[in-house]
């Protein structure tokens, strides 16, 4: 094992892109869904015509080199932690006294979803903000995701990732830092907040997980709506998590072999979890959706990313957290907590805000609101 931090550049071989286009042009399509023309044509999954439109754009118009160039415009590195090489962006602020923050994505996200917020968070003065709100950002790819190594043995669940992130921040020379995340990134961030507090300034989450302790008859209107929304998710939207938490290897074969299958598996969630008017392209462009899908396709990480569910989905840590906490609740999130529910888990809740728009991929969907939330939350912890 070495502590060496090596520069990293994404350099996709052209033959991989040619293979992708060939596979797209030779897709074997299923018949259309039987709910086409109803009030919810996505009821059986992503509709055939939407999938074909995206696949056609992917094969004929999409330019991976564009986003590859954007990623490579930021300093990227890999370093070995606990036997795995971890990929991460490390973007330092021009403000030397900026607060270091490790920012973690989830599934089916990637480091791509943070590209719009890197500039405003690291250099607020250049984006109309206050230099006092600056951050040094460390944005890792989760183990098994993107350009991080894939675990070859069991055991890489949320607690191990949280420990690795603390080690990463200390290796980079940050003796005091914050943590931020949504989805699995929220779980990692919470685990840092409960288990690795010696160097922690505080945490911010845009999908905090808490237990709703209020009896149904005592819930407020928004609390009842949050429970109803989560019940709908469990009934109609959670099939992916059951599969990935029980048989990730099986689903991996089809997704590794078919780019359309991988795209459909991911884009369906962007329709369900973004604040849109019926189509994820209402919120994110086709190019943006495919930018994120490409991270999974090019790194062949369908199965390895799904294994995080197998490792961690049935063992969610809901321990009380005593470090300073900020929560931002976006209205189209999978699970939305109320302030009083959050106060039941977070004993030092410094920031709590319910937004009027946005969903699960907050930094990707609503970068301006996300930046303001992160600034406001950590302003109470610096």
């Amino acid at each position: 094992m070495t502590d060496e931090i090596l520069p990293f550049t994404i350099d996709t071989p052209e033959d991989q892109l040619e293979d992708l286009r060939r596979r797209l042009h030779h897709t074997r399509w299923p018949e259309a869904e039987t709910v086409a023309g109803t009030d919810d044509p996505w009821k059986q999954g992503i509709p055939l015509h939407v999938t074909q439109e995206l696949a056609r754009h992917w094969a004929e118009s999409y330019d991976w080199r564009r986003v590859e160039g954007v990623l490579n415009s930021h300093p990227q590195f890999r370093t070995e932690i606990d036997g795995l090489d971890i990929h991460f962006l490390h973007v330092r602020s021009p403000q030397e006294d900026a607060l270091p923050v490790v920012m973690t994505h989830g599934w089916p996200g990637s480091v791509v979803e943070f590209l719009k917020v890197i500039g405003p968070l690291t250099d607020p003065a250049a984006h109309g903000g206050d230099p006092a709100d600056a951050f040094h950002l460390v944005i890792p790819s989760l183990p098994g995701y993107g350009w991080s190594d894939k675990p070859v043995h069991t055991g890489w669940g949320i607690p191990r990732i949280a420990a690795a992130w603390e080690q990463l921040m200390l290796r980079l020379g940050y003796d005091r830092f914050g943590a931020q995340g949504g989805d699995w990134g929220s779980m990692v961030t919470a685990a840092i907040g409960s288990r690795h507090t010696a160097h922690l300034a505080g945490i911010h989450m845009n999908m905090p997980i808490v237990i709703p302790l209020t009896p149904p008859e005592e819930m407020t209107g928004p609390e009842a709506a949050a429970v109803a929304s989560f019940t709908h998710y469990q009934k109609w939207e959670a099939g992916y998590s059951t599969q990935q938490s029980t048989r990730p290897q099986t689903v991996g074969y089809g997704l590794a072999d078919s780019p359309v299958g991988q795209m459909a598996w991911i884009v369906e969630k962007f329709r369900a979890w973004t604040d849109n008017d019926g189509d994820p392209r209402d919120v994110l462009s086709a190019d943006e959706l495919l930018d994120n899908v490409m991270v999974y396709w090019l790194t062949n990480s369908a199965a390895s990313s799904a294994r995080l569910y197998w490792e961690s989905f049935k063992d969610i840590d809901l321990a009380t957290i005593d470090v300073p906490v900020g929560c931002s609740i976006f209205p189209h999130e999978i699970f939305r907590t109320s302030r009083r529910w959050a106060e039941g888990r977070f004993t030092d809740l410094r920031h709590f805000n319910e937004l009027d728009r946005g969903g699960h991929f907050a930094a990707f969907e609503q970068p301006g609101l996300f930046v303001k939330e992160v600034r406001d939350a950590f302003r109470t912890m610096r």
Side-chain angles (χ1 to χ4, degrees):
M1 179 174 176
T2 174
D3 290 349
E4 192 174 12
I5 297 172
L6 299 175
F8 178 79
T9 301
I10 301 168
D11 185 14
T12 308
E14 187 61 32
D15 62 359
Q16 285 193 27
L17 302 180
E18 292 173 359
D19 175 69
L20 168 61
R21 288 187 286 267
R22 179 187 62 79
R23 289 169 182 266
L24 289 168
H25 284 303
H26 289 84
T27 301
R28 185 172 75 159
W29 297 99
E31 68 282 359
E33 63 285 355
T34 57
V35 293
T38 67
D39 61 340
D40 183 7
W42 290 68
K43 189 177 294 185
Q44 293 179 347
I46 182 171
L48 177 63
H49 77 93
V50 174
T51 313
Q52 290 179 328
E53 289 168 6
L54 284 168
R56 188 178 308 113
H57 177 73
W58 201 1
E60 299 174 1
S61 306
Y62 176 78
D63 180 15
W64 165 251
R65 300 299 184 192
R66 168 190 50 80
V67 72
E68 183 180 75
V70 174
L71 285 163
N72 286 336
S73 72
H74 298 296
Q76 296 177 85
F77 304 89
R78 298 219 318 164
T79 190
E80 183 184 339
I81 301 177
D82 199 7
L84 286 187
D85 276 358
I86 299 297
H87 162 260
F88 61 98
L89 283 68
H90 183 199
V91 187
R92 285 185 57 84
S93 171
Q95 303 295 319
E96 283 301 316
D97 62 347
L99 177 67
V101 168
V102 57
M103 186 174 288
T104 311
H105 67 86
W107 186 93
S110 67
V111 296
V112 163
E113 62 185 292
F114 297 121
L115 289 176
K116 298 175 188 176
V117 303
I118 290 174
L121 289 176
T122 58
D123 192 3
H127 295 81
D130 185 345
D133 287 326
F135 299 93
H136 301 307
L137 291 183
V138 178
I139 307 175
S141 295
L142 288 164
Y145 289 66
W147 295 275
S148 285
D149 277 356
K150 299 174 172 66
V152 296
H153 303 289
T154 61
W156 270 99
I158 294 303
R160 194 168 178 179
I161 296 170
W165 275 200
E166 181 189 47
Q167 188 173 344
L168 173 61
M169 296 302 280
L170 295 176
R171 185 174 298 178
L172 292 171
Y174 296 132
D175 189 58
R176 184 174 183 269
F177 59 88
Q180 195 285 327
D183 194 83
W184 283 121
S186 174
M187 312 294 190
V188 172
T189 298
I192 295 172
S194 65
R195 298 165 182 251
H196 304 281
T197 62
H199 303 274
L200 196 61
I203 64 175
H204 172 263
M205 295 166 289
N206 50 288
M207 194 186 78
I209 301 299
V210 304
I211 298 174
L213 298 173
T214 313
E217 64 274 12
E218 297 178 15
M219 289 183 184
T220 65
E223 287 173 339
V227 170
S229 177
F230 188 63
T231 300
H232 174 84
Y233 161 82
Q234 291 177 305
K235 182 175 181 180
W236 292 106
E237 304 289 352
Y240 76 97
S241 62
T242 300
Q243 181 65 34
Q244 295 192 156
S245 62
T246 57
R247 298 294 185 269
Q249 190 68 20
T250 302
V251 74
Y253 295 111
L255 302 185
D257 190 56
S258 168
V260 166
Q262 178 70 92
M263 176 189 69
W265 191 248
I266 289 175
V267 171
E268 178 198 287
K269 298 307 155 199
F270 275 79
R271 192 268 183 167
W273 302 342
T274 58
D275 191 0
N276 61 68
D277 294 323
D279 190 306
R281 293 169 293 181
D282 299 331
V283 180
L284 298 166
S285 69
D287 278 348
E288 289 174 324
L289 292 168
L290 292 171
D291 289 345
N292 181 66
V293 171
M294 282 290 277
V295 177
Y296 287 81
W297 178 256
L298 293 176
T299 62
N300 192 15
S301 53
S304 56
S305 63
R307 289 189 197 107
L308 182 54
Y309 284 77
W310 189 93
E311 293 282 358
S312 298
F313 200 69
K314 293 179 175 63
D315 188 25
I316 301 297
D317 183 3
L318 293 171
T320 300
I321 293 176
D322 298 321
V323 300
V325 173
C327 298
S328 300
I329 312 302
F330 289 83
H332 212 76
E333 185 55 88
I334 296 171
F335 173 77
R336 304 186 302 278
T337 184
S338 67
R339 177 184 285 273
R340 64 171 169 172
W341 293 348
E343 288 172 342
R345 183 181 185 195
F346 310 125
T347 64
D348 189 4
L349 187 61
R350 302 282 183 93
H351 173 84
F352 186 91
N353 191 29
E354 297 173 285
L355 287 299
D356 63 357
R357 61 189 183 280
H360 187 66
F361 307 93
F364 211 6
E365 298 175 59
Q366 295 292 340
L369 292 178
F370 178 85
V371 165
K372 184 177 186 305
E373 286 299 296
V374 172
R375 287 174 178 170
D376 288 350
F378 282 107
R379 199 175 291 142
T380 69
M381 309 174 196
R382 288 180 180 267

